[in-house]
Amino acid sequence: MTGSSRDLCWNCRSEVGGEYFCPQCVKVQPASVWSDYFSVFGLPRKLGLDLDELQRTFYDWSRKFHPDFFQQATPKEQAISLENSALVNTAYRTLRDPIARVEYLIALEEGAVKEIPPKAPLDLLEEMLLVQEALEAAKASALDGETRKRLAGERDRLMERRRAEEDRLREVSGEWDTLVDGRGHTSGDRENVRRKLLDKMKGILAARAYLNTVINDLSEALGEETHTYVSHRRH
């Protein structure tokens, strides 16, 4: 792990910053003092990740913080290793999921975790009213073959639209990474571009959350198990 800020080792008071273990006394250090989920794995705040490399790094840190290696350590070291292990696990679960990764990045960049409320895409508002009417009718009476076919067709089309929103999110994520790399933008307009990209990502996540809700409602009306589709293409 790397870090720019410096701190002092709790044991020998040597300077540390970004290291999980003190370079002088080799005592384990509390990573949560300076780490966000990206820096836990020594990564910049970019959205395109090598998931195989992320997994290898996760396994490496998991082994180093395993309780077996701290059975003879002091209670403080045992406590720190458990906290670090929990942080590494949470960071890995978040960053390996492409949607959770974007949500976390937005929270980091905006300085607070704010729930992004579902919002229907503007071009689907009229269609969504018809879908809701069909759902209400389905709840009020037994499904006939024609209604079931209609609801299943609506769900398939909305699932396709959800995939399109996720494709859009990948495109905007690529733009974000270009900004982080410092390519294609002058220093004067970087903040403006940063803000616009964050707003774009929030808008896509809001639309996707809305589509998830309607898709799950349709699945429930059809008597099928609800699920949330998440793309597992490497990104």
Side-chain angles (χ1 to χ4, degrees), residues 28-46:
V28 65
Q29 302 297 307
S32 59
V33 170
W34 56 73
S35 295
D36 61 56
Y37 293 170
F38 289 95
S39 62
V40 160
F41 296 104
L43 299 170
R45 291 185 185 180
K46 295 174 66 174

Side-chain angles (χ1 to χ4, degrees), residues 47-48 169-179 183 235:
L47 293 168
L169 188 60
R170 277 185 283 274
E171 291 175 5
V172 178
S173 295
E175 295 178 41
W176 174 268
D177 289 353
T178 297
L179 180 69
R183 304 193 309 269
H235 193 268

Side-chain angles (χ1 to χ4, degrees), residues 125-151:
L125 285 177
E126 184 175 349
E127 179 181 344
M128 289 301 95
L129 290 175
L130 296 176
V131 171
Q132 293 296 340
E133 289 177 2
L135 279 170
E136 292 301 320
K139 292 176 182 178
S141 60
L143 286 179
D144 56 35
E146 187 62 30
T147 302
R148 177 176 290 277
K149 181 179 178 181
R150 178 188 172 188
L151 294 181

